[in-house]
Every structure is written in structure tokens, then in C-alpha cells.
Amino acid sequence: MSELRIEQRIAERQDALSPQERRAAATLVDHLDDLATYRAAELADLAGVSKATMSRLFRSLGYADFDEVRAHLRALREAGEPRRLDGPPDLGAHAEAEGELVRRALAQPRLDDAVALVADAARVTVLGWRSGYPVALHLRQQLAHARGDVRLAPAPGQVLGEEIADLTAGDVAVVLGFRRRPAGFGALLAAVHDTGATVLLVADRTASMHAHHADLWLECPVETRLAFDSYAGAMSLVGVLADGVLSHLGAPARRRAAAISATYARLGEVE
């Protein structure tokens, strides 16, 4: 456990935490970038929990106290996690980091389950916000070649209420939720879950506190040693998911893809 990052420790211990400890853990994750600038009492106030609860959480995560948490974060930065990069980009390091993200993203023990859910659903709604939106757009575009009734939500400039009003049992909602999600993401995910639709969450580890609202969670890392998060792994994962749906559905999906290509040609829509 000592080698794990703090958000990984939280993810592994999530089910064993009390509601108050989960609230404290969510505050830690929300303030990872500047956690070392706080005192333990200030973090407890931010989370709305007691100092004793925050101390219990630290011990549950394998730290003796908050000083050890700070030391752990300093060690991570010293090992290559600066907030900014100086000098020109190291293209070799960039390629290595992207490749590692893709390998980790595709190491999904329940990918076959996710494929079956999406393939067999009465209707699929793909939801994404902020950095998750282009990934959602890509997934919807690919799924639409394999099966019918695939929607993207929310529509630009719209909110969620009208998008999920007709979700029901038999539907699948694929929710893309990477870190720096919009405020209230947990409530949005809970509202989708409450419709009765099956929820497939595709997210990085920082979404662990929301995972209990999902029926299936595909964990997809985005953090690298580089200046910005990378979505190479996320794009690869949703591509493999769509490939799996096409294969799962077999001949009908292949006929649909061929018909779409024929329509492109008839309308002159693509080169």
C-alpha cells in the first residue's frame, strides 16, 4: 500500500469508509494539487467533518498522520510530478507516457461485460462534460455505426433534466467523468442512476467516491508526468468498446455500417 498514490488508496478503501470518511476523502481528492498547503484542521473544516474523522481517514489510508501525507505528496513531486514543465517538450517522454496510459486504460477485467451491456441495451445515451465531452462524442459516433438509437447528451448549451427524463430500465447510460468534472457531478450521476437505466461509468480514479452510483466502472487513467492530463487512454478505451459492440452484434451491425457508408457515398458527404 505504501507505493500507492493517495487517490489510489482512497479508491481501494472506498467501500470500507464511513459516510463521514467518504466526505473527508472527497475533499482530499478535490485538493490534491494544493493539499500540502493546508493543515489537517483546515481540511476537516472544508469537508465539514471533525478533526478526529480526518485523523481516522489518514490512518485508514495507511498514513500515521497528515505530516506523512504531506511527505508522500512531496515525494511524488520529487519523483517527476511538477505542476509545470520547463524547456521544450521531451517527445520521447511524451510518447512513453501516452503509451503507458493506453496500456493501463485497456487493462479492463470487465470490458466484455461493458460491451455486452452497450450492445444489448434498448437505447444508449452517452453523457460527457468538459474533458469528457470529446471522448463521449467520439464514442457516440463509433457506436452509431454498430447499432441504432445512440444519443449524445447533454446537447450544447443544454442541461441534463430534459436529456434523461425518458431514460428507463433496459437503457444504458455511458457517463464520461474525468477529473475537474463539473460541480455536482455526483448528483448528476445519481439522477441518471435513479431513472432505472444501467449506468456505465468511464472515469479516472478521482471519481471513486461516485462509483456507487454506477453499475459498472471502467477506470481510465489520465494523469501523466507531463504538464497536462492525457486522454489517449480514454480514446483508445472507447474505441475498443465500440469495436467490441460491433463484433458482439455481428452481421446486423456490419450491414448497418455498410448502409451508412453507402449513404455517405450517395449524398457525397465524405471524401
Side-chain angles (χ1 to χ4, degrees), residues 119-215:
D120 297 336
R123 173 176 48 191
V124 177
T125 300
V126 185
L127 300 107
W129 299 264
R130 291 178 52 79
S131 55
Y133 189 81
V135 183
L137 185 66
H138 183 56
L139 175 58
R140 187 268 164 195
Q141 187 272 337
Q142 292 196 321
L143 286 179
H145 283 262
R147 54 155 298 152
D149 217 347
V150 182
R151 304 187 301 166
L152 179 70
Q158 301 302 308
V159 291
L160 192 63
E162 62 268 23
E163 306 281 9
I164 68 169
D166 56 351
L167 287 179
T168 188
D171 292 346
V172 166
V174 184
V175 181
L176 286 298
F178 302 105
R179 64 184 180 183
R180 299 206 170 183
R181 294 170 292 275
F185 178 83
L188 297 172
L189 189 61
V192 174
H193 182 268
D194 289 345
T195 65
T198 299
V199 178
L200 169 58
L201 175 64
V202 181
D204 64 284
R205 281 189 181 272
T206 64
S208 61
M209 70 285 298
H210 306 305
H212 61 287
H213 292 305
D215 298 281

Side-chain angles (χ1 to χ4, degrees), residues 141 145 257 260-271:
Q141 187 272 337
H145 283 262
I260 290 171
S261 294
T263 303
Y264 286 162
R266 187 167 65 253
L267 298 179
E269 290 186 306
V270 296
E271 294 183 341

Side-chain angles (χ1 to χ4, degrees), residues 14-246:
Q14 187 71 22
D15 290 342
L17 300 179
S18 70
Q20 291 294 307
E21 288 169 342
R22 287 184 182 181
R23 185 187 303 173
T27 299
L28 294 185
V29 172
D30 287 343
H31 291 275
L32 279 181
D33 288 342
D34 58 350
L35 199 58
T37 66
Y38 289 89
R39 293 178 298 174
E42 292 173 329
L43 286 171
D45 287 341
L46 282 173
V49 302
S50 67
K51 289 187 288 186
T53 295
M54 191 64 74
S55 295
R56 282 197 303 272
L57 174 63
F58 296 148
R59 291 193 296 270
S60 178
L61 297 178
Y63 302 105
D65 52 31
F66 190 50
D67 286 339
E68 191 169 323
V69 176
R70 279 195 289 252
H72 178 68
L73 293 171
R74 283 194 298 270
L76 287 176
R77 286 196 290 275
E78 290 168 1
E81 291 192 27
R83 291 192 178 126
R84 66 177 185 178
L85 299 177
D86 296 319
D90 182 336
L91 297 183
H94 183 84
E96 181 182 351
E98 298 278 271
E100 176 60 22
L101 277 185
V102 171
R103 286 190 291 273
R104 290 170 59 195
L106 298 184
Q108 299 288 342
R110 298 197 63 189
L111 183 56
D112 288 345
D113 294 336
V115 166
L117 281 177
V118 174
D120 297 336
R123 173 176 48 191
V124 177
T125 300
V126 185
L127 300 107
W129 299 264
R130 291 178 52 79
S131 55
Y133 189 81
V135 183
L137 185 66
H138 183 56
L139 175 58
R140 187 268 164 195
Q141 187 272 337
Q142 292 196 321
L143 286 179
H145 283 262
R147 54 155 298 152
D149 217 347
V150 182
R151 304 187 301 166
L152 179 70
Q158 301 302 308
V159 291
L160 192 63
E162 62 268 23
E163 306 281 9
I164 68 169
D166 56 351
L167 287 179
T168 188
D171 292 346
V172 166
V174 184
V175 181
L176 286 298
F178 302 105
R179 64 184 180 183
R180 299 206 170 183
R181 294 170 292 275
F185 178 83
L188 297 172
L189 189 61
V192 174
H193 182 268
D194 289 345
T195 65
T198 299
V199 178
L200 169 58
L201 175 64
V202 181
D204 64 284
R205 281 189 181 272
T206 64
S208 61
M209 70 285 298
H210 306 305
H212 61 287
H213 292 305
D215 298 281
L216 180 59
W217 176 24
L218 298 182
E219 183 189 315
C220 186
V222 296
E223 76 281 358
T224 72
R225 299 187 303 274
L226 306 173
F228 297 98
D229 286 347
S230 168
Y231 297 91
M235 286 295 196
S236 294
L237 176 57
V238 299
V240 170
L241 176 61
D243 286 351
V245 171
L246 182 70

